[in-house]
C-alpha cells in the first residue's frame, strides 16, 4: 500500500554482503515504524539464515518481514519490480550489478558507498552512506522513508537513475571505454 514502503534485498547472505548489519538495523526499523515492510531473497550461512527467520517471526515484524530462502531469477525480477528500495549493505563490492538491476526496475538502491557501488549518486540515482555502521545504514533507510513520502521525489530519482545508466553504462558505451583502456595500455607497453 501507499503507506507501506517495501525494502528489498536479493543476494548471498554473508557478512561480506553486510547482511549481519542489515538484520541488526532492520530489527530497529521494523520496531520503530509499523508501516515498513522487508523482503529478503537469498541463502547463505546458517547463522544469518537463522537470524533472518527469527526476525521474520519476531512480534515487532508482525507479518511485515518475509525471508525466502534460495534463489530464482523469475522471483528475483518480481521482487526487484515490487520493491521501493533495494538495500545493498556490502562491506566491499568489486563489481556491483544488483544496483543497476534494481534501478532499471524502479527500485531505488540504498548502498554502502564502496567499490562497484560508488556509481550510485547520493540523492540523484539512489541513496548512499559512507561508514560500515548500523547508525549510518539506519540513517540512510530513514532518508529513504522521507523520499518515499514524496511521490515526485521518488519518481525523480527513479528517472534520473535510468537516464544515468543509459548515458554512461550501456554495453556499447562500456565496450568503447574498455577498448580505449586497452589501446592506452598497449601504447604504454609498446613504448617501453
Amino acid at each position: 500500500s501507499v503507506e507501506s514502503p517495501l525494502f528489498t534485498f536479493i543476494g548471498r547472505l554473508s557478512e561480506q554482503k553486510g547482511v549481519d548489519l542489515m538484520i541488526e538495523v532492520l530489527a530497529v526499523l521494523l520496531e520503530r515504524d509499523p508501516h515498513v515492510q522487508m523482503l529478503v531473497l537469498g541463502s547463505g550461512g546458517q547463522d544469518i539464515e537463522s537470524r533472518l527467520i527469527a526476525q521474520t517471526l519476531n512480534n515487532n515484524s508482525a507479518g511485515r518481514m518475509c525471508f525466502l530462502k534460495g534463489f530464482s531469477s523469475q522471483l528475483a525480477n518480481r521482487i526487484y519490480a515490487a520493491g521501493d528500495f533495494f538495500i545493498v549493505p556490502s562491506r566491499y563490492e568489486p563489481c556491483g550489478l544488483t544496483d543497476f538491476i534494481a534501478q532499471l526496475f524502479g527500485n531505488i538502491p540504498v548502498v554502502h558507498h564502496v567499490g562497484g557501488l560508488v556509481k550510485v549518486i547520493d540523492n540523484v540515482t539512489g541513496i548512499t552512506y559512507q561508514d560500515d555502521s548500523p547508525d549510518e545504514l539506519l540513517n540512510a533507510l530513514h532518508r529513504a522513508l522521507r523520499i518515499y513520502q514524496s511521490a515526485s521525489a521518488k519518481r525523480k530519482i527513479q528517472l534520473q537513475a535510468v537516464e544515468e545508466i543509459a548515458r554512461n553504462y550501456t554495453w556499447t558505451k562500456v565496450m568503447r571505454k574498455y577498448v580505449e583502456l586497452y589501446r592506452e595500455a598497449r601504447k604504454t607497453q609498446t613504448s617501453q
Side-chain angles (χ1 to χ4, degrees), residues 9 12-19 88-93:
F9 175 91
R12 190 167 36 89
L13 305 176
S14 69
E15 289 188 9
Q16 181 262 317
K17 294 291 185 184
V19 178
V88 190
S90 299
R91 290 199 162 83
Y92 58 93
E93 190 61 60

Side-chain angles (χ1 to χ4, degrees), residues 30 34 36-37 55-65:
L30 288 163
V36 168
Q37 301 176 95
Q55 183 60 52
T56 300
L57 298 173
N58 186 308
N59 286 337
N60 290 330
S61 301
R64 297 179 294 124
M65 170 86 183

